[in-house]
Amino acid sequence: MTVKEIFETMDYGPAPESAAEALAWLVDMGDRFGHFIDGAFTDPGETFEAKNPATGNVLASVTQATQKDVDAAVKAARKAQPAWAKDGHARARVLYAIARLLQKNSRLFAVLESLDNGKPIREARDIDVPLAIRHFYHHAGYAQLLDSERPGLVAQGVCGQIVPWNFPLLMLAWKIAPALAAGNTVVLKPAEYTSLTALLFADICRQAGVPKGVVNIVTGDGAVGEMIVNAEVDKIAFTGSTAVGRRIREATAGTGKALTLELGGKSPYIVFDDADLDSAVEGLVDAIWFNGGQVCCAGSRLLVQEGVAERFHEKLKARMDKLRVGDPLDKSIDVGAIVDPVQLQTITRMVEENTEGETYRAEVTMPAEGCFYPPTLVTGLSTASKLMQEEIFGPVLVSMTFRTPSEAVALANDTRYGLAASLWSENLNLALDVAPKVQAGVVWVNGTNMFDAAAPFGGMRESGFGREGGWEGLGAYLKPAGQGKRLKRVEPQTGEAVAADPLDRTAKLYIGGKQARPDGGYSMPVWGPKGTLLGQVPKGNRKDVRNAVEAMNGAAGWGRTSGHQRAQILYYLAENLSARAGEFAARVDAMTGKGGKAEVETSIRRLFTYAAWADKFDGEAKGVPLRGMALALKEPVGKIGALCPDESPLLGLVSLMAPAMAMGCRITLVASEPAPLAATDFYQILETSDVPGGVVNILTGSHEELAPVMADHLDLDAVWSFSGAELSKEIERRSAGNLKRTWVNNGLATDWERAEGRAFLEAATEIKTVWVPYGE
Ligand code: NAI
């Protein structure tokens, strides 16, 4: 071929990376792997094959863990944890050593990852491995700074971590680095398709001076995952499918195990008519053909503005035809192999079963054999179509058009997921106007699939909860020191049915800013400690909860008010409560027999605390080593259902209501069951303090009956419970339906005198990380 011809075709030949060193490492390790437990590899047990999806060749045999193996790993982790948690600097040194060793072995990791997973070597080499290294460096720093920067917090303990097959090493890094930095020890299970880089990592741990038992790797399938979930661990961190995430939520309900779930997505990729279309096309290559579309936050749903749609689709198809699909070890390949024949079948079936719209397959040369799928674009789908709603997890892009920015937002949010979104526009006003309206944990402006150890990553809605990366992600591996006293149950008082006061003292519910009769028409008596009847309160039911949720929907504007405005209203609440302090103190005394004055005083202080926080609990701008900046913003979690503690009838209510209000949430509180009258008196304070109707709703009635209704409600974003232990399990189990956020006490006591601050504010907020172009 002449130089002229080369320039005309721009064709280039293969540039294969050698697999020799990676294969030699496998041979050195004996080609058969046991687990890595207590600092050493165990003998292989019953094994399964690790295959190269590009060729079908067997790479090694990996052991399917037994219950005994998992128990041994957890035991080793438990034993190692206290010593590991002691010295932040010692941990920093080890994390730094891991980072350095990963760097020194970076090509080995990249090649092994590409062989095992099928991803292009270019991606493994330039993205997965460098990001994993960056994660360990960055977290060495957290280990160093933790004691001074986060006093009062301690490690969770032993963490069970389950990772998927799409970014085997990177997801391991996202899990292990923060866990170790915070002083936890881990038992990690890689996905059954891709165990090899985790085992190579174990080998690195031996060299990095990781103390025995701090990192344990067990291999196997979902059954092993279940064993880890059910083991004596303190926290579970999971990345994978929403279906399995739900099961884990149910399995851990009521156990007190901390949980973070990073699940699926169907992330919108929005192209406005003023976007730089060529950049946006190039961005799509990184959005949906990066890792063959097997990316939880893949920009898999293209929304393009009508005026430019035709031109954009033409450009896109031309670009698709230029993608090179083939041998992942070829450095000039864009799209590698699909991880496993099972996944290939799923993708093929989903696309074949679709009967709507038009399907365009890139005109590319496909490898004769191996697990490959061509880059595909499906246009003309309706919003309800399965391909529009469900994760395909392959190189398949679906596309729709929109006319106006508000239609784009509506379409973007027409999904049960909320992981990520990309916005393309040359008009920064437009992009930054749309960014807060899109329900997604990560928003990229004129970019896509950017990640960094400093920038929190994670989902909203059914994409899961918890963040990975940054101080925010580290928080999931920490807990307040000194937790653990059991809650003493407050038994309902009883008495004689003789009214102390002949006047009718039947309170109502408080919904939508108005006092409302209960739907069911039943009331419950409230007794004082000496058996005196103090009054009656309504027995709220399912319909009342639904009405309260409707009222919260009507008050959506609260989330958009300024922190300054919310602060003013909280101060006003404090002022009005202060004006009637004597009356409230007497009411608390009448119900509980003591402490009314102090409780009212602390409630007023608490209102001041959250008035103070309302305009100060700000996000952070993260310096990321890319051209841009990641803004970790705090958004209100949304609509909260909260079961107030039985003890501290006024202070408990205020302690939950005020942080929620301060952060822009709407909240429906179920008052203390045995002592609800301070809550029903509180309506008057709310009414006189300019709280917009629907922002705070108060119900009375049986916690046991109302908690499941709230936990089941698909239109509630979070349920908090500081009520009895039994409810915690029920709430967490039922919350799996829409994966709403839960915050429950698991029967542990809360010191309401002191219970305020960051933990409450964090529960009321969700992090949205917005990546914006910035600087050179
Ligand atoms: P998966 O969710 O079944 O697997 C992820 C991990 O969970 C693996 O390590 C697996 O062994 C483990 N696991 C499976 N069942 C478990 C259980 N009951 N308890 C504990 N751990 C369990 O994902 P799978 O089946 O490999 O892929 C199916 C679909 O899931 C994909 O097509 C994709 O849509 C989605 N997915 C999403 C990922 C993400 O990053 N969000 C990653 C992987 C898959």
Side-chain angles (χ1 to χ4, degrees):
M1 196 183 266
T2 65
V3 172
K4 183 165 178 284
E5 278 167 342
I6 291 173
F7 268 102
E8 267 164 16
T9 63
M10 289 301 279
D11 223 359
Y12 40 104
E17 172 79 34
S18 165
E21 292 226 11
L23 296 176
W25 178 77
L26 293 171
V27 172
D28 272 358
M29 297 295 288
D31 279 336
R32 278 166 64 80
F33 288 88
H35 313 292
F36 184 71
I37 297 175
D38 208 12
F41 281 99
T42 63
D43 291 335
E46 197 181 305
T47 58
F48 58 95
E49 289 171 340
K51 287 186 181 162
N52 176 346
T55 59
N57 293 343
V58 175
L59 294 166
S61 299
V62 179
T63 297
Q64 166 77 10
T66 60
Q67 185 68 51
K68 240 173 97 187
D69 296 330
V70 172
D71 291 346
V74 172
K75 196 169 157 208
R78 180 69 64 199
K79 192 160 155 240
Q81 201 267 329
W84 178 246
K86 266 199 186 120
D87 182 352
H89 174 63
R91 297 199 299 277
R93 291 176 82 109
V94 169
L95 287 165
Y96 170 71
I98 294 176
R100 291 287 293 131
L101 280 160
L102 284 175
Q103 232 164 4
K104 286 181 202 163
N105 293 282
S106 61
R107 194 55 67 91
L108 177 59
F109 272 102
V111 174
L112 191 62
E113 195 76 309
S114 179
L115 284 172
D116 198 17
N117 165 282
K119 64 174 66 211
I121 180 69
R122 203 160 45 83
E123 292 179 7
R125 183 196 62 195
D126 297 347
I127 297 169
D128 296 51
V129 175
L131 279 175
I133 294 168
R134 158 97 179 127
H135 227 77
F136 280 98
Y137 268 117
H138 192 71
H139 283 81
Y142 289 133
Q144 180 72 24
L145 298 177
L146 193 61
D147 287 347
S148 60
E149 291 302 305
R150 292 292 185 272
L153 294 180
V154 295
Q156 297 272 8
V158 176
C159 301
Q161 307 186 309
I162 299 163
V163 295
W165 39 260
N166 50 351
F167 294 92
L169 178 71
L170 184 57
M171 288 303 107
L172 171 148
W174 280 25
K175 297 277 179 288
I176 290 188
L180 261 49
N184 301 275
T185 54
V186 304
V187 176
L188 177 134
K189 187 190 87 62
E192 52 272 41
Y193 301 145
T194 54
S195 312
L196 298 181
T197 46
L199 294 164
L200 175 56
F201 179 82
D203 199 16
I204 291 292
C205 285
R206 292 198 292 194
Q207 301 168 44
V210 176
K212 281 192 335 191
V214 168
V215 171
N216 303 276
I217 310 272
V218 292
T219 50
D221 60 14
V224 181
E226 260 177 69
M227 290 176 204
I228 295 176
V229 168
N230 295 323
E232 292 281 310
V233 296
D234 304 294
K235 180 199 159 64
I236 294 289
F238 172 78
T239 298
S241 61
T242 297
V244 172
R246 275 205 178 87
R247 258 195 274 165
I248 294 178
R249 169 66 293 178
E250 288 170 355
T252 53
T255 59
K257 289 174 191 167
L259 178 64
T260 44
L261 298 174
E262 203 271 273
L263 309 176
K266 191 79 188 177
S267 298
Y269 187 99
I270 309 177
V271 181
F272 292 100
D273 59 8
D274 61 359
D276 172 346
L277 297 189
D278 292 318
S279 296
V281 166
E282 214 43 48
L284 263 178
V285 175
D286 289 336
I288 185 67
W289 292 299
F290 169 51
N291 203 19
Q294 304 165 108
V295 182
C296 51
C297 52
S300 53
R301 221 161 28 106
L302 169 64
L303 304 173
V304 52
Q305 199 155 7
E306 220 168 68
V308 295
E310 206 179 312
R311 199 147 52 96
F312 190 76
H313 283 135
E314 259 169 41
K315 281 175 181 280
L316 177 59
K317 286 176 188 168
R319 182 67 182 92
M320 285 168 71
D321 293 345
K322 292 276 187 304
L323 291 169
R324 292 170 63 122
V325 183
D327 176 11
L329 280 188
D330 180 344
K331 280 175 262 192
S332 55
I333 281 299
D334 300 305
V335 182
I338 300 299
V339 70
D340 190 85
V342 173
Q343 186 65 14
L344 181 63
Q345 264 171 25
T346 309
I347 300 166
T348 312
R349 194 182 55 239
M350 282 184 83
V351 176
E352 274 173 5
E353 280 173 3
N354 170 54
T355 51
E356 268 187 64
E358 270 176 45
T359 302
Y360 180 80
R361 276 167 220 278
E363 289 174 7
V364 294
T365 313
M366 293 293 291
E369 53 187 25
C371 235
F372 293 91
Y373 197 87
T376 301
L377 167 70
V378 190
T379 50
L381 294 171
S382 63
T383 46
S385 108
K386 189 171 169 186
L387 290 192
M388 261 294 160
Q389 291 297 334
E390 285 183 20
E391 202 173 27
I392 303 172
F393 230 64
V396 183
L397 176 67
V398 295
S399 165
M400 274 188 81
T401 61
F402 66 87
R403 288 187 187 167
T404 60
S406 59
E407 193 189 354
V409 170
L411 288 173
N413 290 339
D414 183 18
T415 165
R416 58 202 170 95
Y417 294 116
L419 191 50
S422 292
L423 309 176
W424 291 80
S425 168
E426 289 300 288
N427 177 354
L428 214 54
N429 294 317
L430 175 65
L432 296 183
D433 180 56
V434 168
K437 295 177 183 155
V438 178
Q439 298 210 25
V442 185
V443 177
W444 294 291
V445 174
N446 291 330
T448 194
N449 275 341
M450 290 184 280
F451 312 102
D452 184 55
F457 179 93
M460 295 182 176
R461 300 169 156 186
E462 293 183 31
S463 292
F465 43 76
R467 292 292 177 267
E468 294 186 299
W471 282 109
E472 295 83 351
L474 196 73
Y477 288 95
L478 295 163
K479 63 177 184 186
Q483 272 184 337
K485 254 177 62 194
R486 301 301 300 174
L487 183 67
K488 241 178 62 208
R489 199 180 161 80
V490 180
E491 294 300 338
Q493 330 250 23
T494 51
E496 311 275 325
V498 182
D501 180 344
L503 285 182
D504 177 16
R505 300 292 302 262
T506 304
K508 295 201 178 78
L509 305 173
Y510 186 69
I511 298 176
K514 294 192 194 73
Q515 302 206 17
R517 283 184 204 290
D519 170 74
Y522 287 101
S523 296
M524 318 188 324
V526 182
W527 304 101
K530 296 212 179 94
T532 323
L533 183 70
L534 301 176
Q536 302 269 342
V537 291
K539 202 160 184 285
N541 69 10
R542 176 180 298 273
K543 183 78 193 327
D544 298 313
V545 171
R546 287 214 296 262
N547 290 342
V549 174
E550 272 312 301
M552 291 195 282
N553 281 333
W558 181 251
R560 296 189 291 272
T561 53
S562 68
H564 172 64
Q565 196 177 341
R566 296 195 294 264
Q568 281 179 298
I569 291 180
L570 284 158
Y571 282 126
Y572 201 18
L573 281 167
E575 182 186 324
N576 286 325
L577 180 58
S578 180
R580 295 174 61 178
E583 196 186 312
F584 273 86
R587 182 62 115 178
V588 171
D589 285 341
M591 289 191 294
T592 65
K594 57 176 182 331
K597 187 160 183 281
E599 190 168 333
V600 175
E601 208 33 60
T602 313
S603 300
I604 294 166
R605 268 167 201 264
R606 192 132 303 160
L607 287 165
F608 261 71
T609 297
Y610 290 110
W613 272 120
D615 56 1
K616 294 175 193 66
F617 192 59
D618 295 323
E620 278 181 23
K622 308 282 182 174
V624 289
L626 291 161
R627 189 188 150 259
M629 181 194 279
L631 305 172
L633 305 172
K634 297 203 162 105
E635 288 198 344
V637 82
K639 288 165 283 178
I640 304 170
L643 295 129
C644 297
D646 285 344
E647 69 281 12
S648 305
L650 177 68
L651 180 58
L653 176 114
V654 168
S655 299
L656 303 185
M657 179 198 75
M661 283 180 76
M663 294 298 102
C665 295
R666 292 148 279 162
I667 188 162
T668 295
L669 298 135
V670 183
S672 160
E673 191 171 330
L677 296 175
T680 57
D681 291 348
F682 198 72
Y683 305 165
Q684 289 152 26
I685 305 288
L686 291 166
E687 277 165 354
T688 50
S689 305
D690 296 343
V691 178
V695 171
V696 177
N697 306 281
I698 299 178
L699 306 179
T700 50
S702 154
H703 286 198
E704 205 182 318
E705 282 173 31
L706 294 176
V709 177
M710 286 185 157
D712 281 341
H713 203 299
L714 294 179
D715 201 17
L716 268 179
D717 302 300
V719 173
W720 297 353
S721 174
F722 287 87
S723 192
E726 307 77 34
L727 294 186
S728 298
K729 180 169 185 181
E730 190 70 0
I731 289 168
E732 289 191 324
R733 191 175 62 75
R734 288 173 183 260
S735 71
N738 70 343
L739 287 166
K740 58 174 70 67
R741 284 82 185 107
T742 56
W743 191 26
V744 298
N745 66 353
N746 285 308
L748 297 180
T750 307
D751 176 2
W752 291 105
E753 266 300 292
R754 290 187 183 77
E756 63 176 27
R758 285 183 179 275
F760 288 80
L761 297 165
E762 276 163 12
T765 48
E766 185 104 79
I767 304 283
K768 175 182 262 178
T769 306
V770 182
W771 290 70
V772 289
Y774 188 82
E776 283 177 40

